[in-house]
Amino acid sequence: MFDALMLGNHWNEGAIMQRVFFPPAGLEKPLIGKQADCLDPTSEMLAAYSHKYAITKDPKDRRIADQIFEAVLKLERVTGVDGLFARSFNKTDKPLWHEKVLWYNEWHQSTSMPEYRWLGDLSIDKFTSIFYGLGTYWELCADRAHKEQVAQLIDRFVGRIIDDNFKLTDLDGKMTLWGNLCPDLPHQALNSLIMLAGLKVAHKITGKERYSAAYHMLIERYHYDDDQINSKLLFPKEWRNPGDDYHAARSLYMVMRYEEDPNLLIKYRMNLNRHWHDWKDMEFSFESSIWFIMVYQVLMDENVLNDHRIQTIKDMWGFDRKTRTFNVPQEDGTYKQVVAEEEGTAAAMIRNYWFGRYYNLIDENW
């Protein structure tokens, strides 16, 4: 049921909309909605279908994953700049009302795809979504031709970040609001982890030495390996952020499976153990919280799925529709209040399920 809703209501030419609004606030096809985090559910569904295909070997599952990957390619193509990703896109030749009220004024009319508009100001968490989703697809699902496309795309994207001194830059060449991975600028320890993971994935997929060289340069000269240990903010408790945990979990999941240096693996395990100090007692209110437990078990090869956590997996729920009032801007500068339904995403839940199935953490009979 959730899968059908996601592939129906949230499907935007292969990209997955995080939240959609229905008429009268939305259009006949659910297109209008919050889109700043579109890359997150897109990568989750790409990972979900990659894990699913690895189990079923069903060509239909691979075909859906391929279509989602094509949307990721389009997220670069629509910007008109090699290696520059949009947060999201819409097929429209004029602004839609939500552009003015649901995010910063970062929508652009595409020059490379004139009938499309795209949202800029890419952030580090979307960088994480890209290398996590594409990396999982490359590992488990992509055929030879698509593997090569993934490698070329990652090469353009991560190569551009290196060229810009480890910063995400926008259409104007300036660093985005949350684009600081740079060793010459103060940045969060989490950003050090994310940059190392992105470089490790880029090297694995492309085989190019420049990504391994950049990885080791950040470690040897700037000590990103030491800095990343403190990615998890533990105190005060009020500052703990499951959203940041999600970026760390995806990064650790990728880098710890690819890293072979035992000394570096110790440091990544130190990071993971700091997270576990919080995760082992956390409430499962965040959609990916139970996935943190599964990732920990996979990376540490330690059985932590007790009865409570297994029941939490069995009780996973994707989303509910809700009715809300929208303030829709009018051409005269006023706002009109419109009551309509809004639907959230179930992509993380679907990914959690197939991830668990792939690693034999979830029994298909549950």
Side-chain angles (χ1 to χ4, degrees), residues 18 33-37 87 98-107 119-123 125-126 177-178:
Q18 68 196 73
K34 294 181 179 179
Q35 292 183 245
D37 294 325
R87 284 178 174 266
H98 71 285
E99 295 182 15
K100 298 180 181 180
V101 295
L102 294 182
W103 193 245
Y104 305 109
N105 185 24
E106 291 287 349
W107 283 93
L119 179 60
D121 196 41
L122 196 71
S123 52
D125 50 339
K126 308 312 156 211
L177 184 59
W178 291 288

Side-chain angles (χ1 to χ4, degrees), residues 12-195:
N12 180 21
E13 300 182 26
I16 308 298
M17 300 276 286
Q18 68 196 73
R19 306 190 74 83
V20 290
F21 305 155
F22 294 90
L27 306 177
E28 288 185 10
K29 177 183 178 182
L31 182 65
I32 287 180
K34 294 181 179 179
Q35 292 183 245
D37 294 325
C38 176
L39 268 162
D40 294 343
T42 300
S43 70
E44 288 159 354
M45 289 295 281
L46 182 59
Y49 270 91
S50 297
H51 286 298
K52 185 180 181 183
Y53 174 75
I55 298 167
T56 67
K57 301 301 181 183
D58 187 335
K60 293 180 181 177
D61 294 329
R62 174 182 259 182
R63 187 157 56 248
I64 291 174
D66 291 345
Q67 290 173 331
I68 297 172
F69 170 62
E70 291 293 334
V72 178
L73 285 172
K74 187 176 288 186
L75 284 164
E76 180 205 31
R77 189 164 65 250
V78 73
T79 69
V81 178
D82 285 351
L84 175 61
F85 271 80
R87 284 178 174 266
S88 185
F89 60 76
N90 289 322
K91 188 173 184 179
T92 176
D93 57 2
K94 59 183 178 181
L96 301 174
W97 73 259
H98 71 285
E99 295 182 15
K100 298 180 181 180
V101 295
L102 294 182
W103 193 245
Y104 305 109
N105 185 24
E106 291 287 349
W107 283 93
H108 307 274
Q109 196 70 43
S110 176
T111 56
S112 55
M113 299 169 59
E115 294 182 353
Y116 286 79
R117 291 179 62 78
W118 61 275
L119 179 60
D121 196 41
L122 196 71
S123 52
I124 292 166
D125 50 339
K126 308 312 156 211
F127 170 42
T128 311
S129 291
I130 291 167
F131 70 69
Y132 160 71
L134 292 182
T136 305
Y137 172 68
W138 180 87
E139 280 186 53
L140 302 177
C141 184
D143 61 18
R144 183 178 298 180
H146 283 102
K147 280 181 182 289
E148 181 58 31
Q149 284 186 294
V150 172
Q152 293 172 0
L153 181 59
I154 284 287
D155 190 28
R156 293 193 297 270
F157 179 48
V158 182
R160 186 173 187 267
I161 294 173
I162 294 176
D163 292 341
D164 288 331
N165 195 21
F166 303 94
K167 293 179 284 187
L168 300 179
T169 56
D170 218 338
L171 193 62
D172 58 5
K174 297 179 180 179
M175 187 173 73
T176 61
L177 184 59
W178 291 288
N180 177 20
L181 300 148
C182 179
D184 299 322
L185 296 173
H187 60 262
Q188 293 173 289
L190 176 59
N191 295 7
S192 294
L193 170 65
I194 290 172
M195 190 66 252

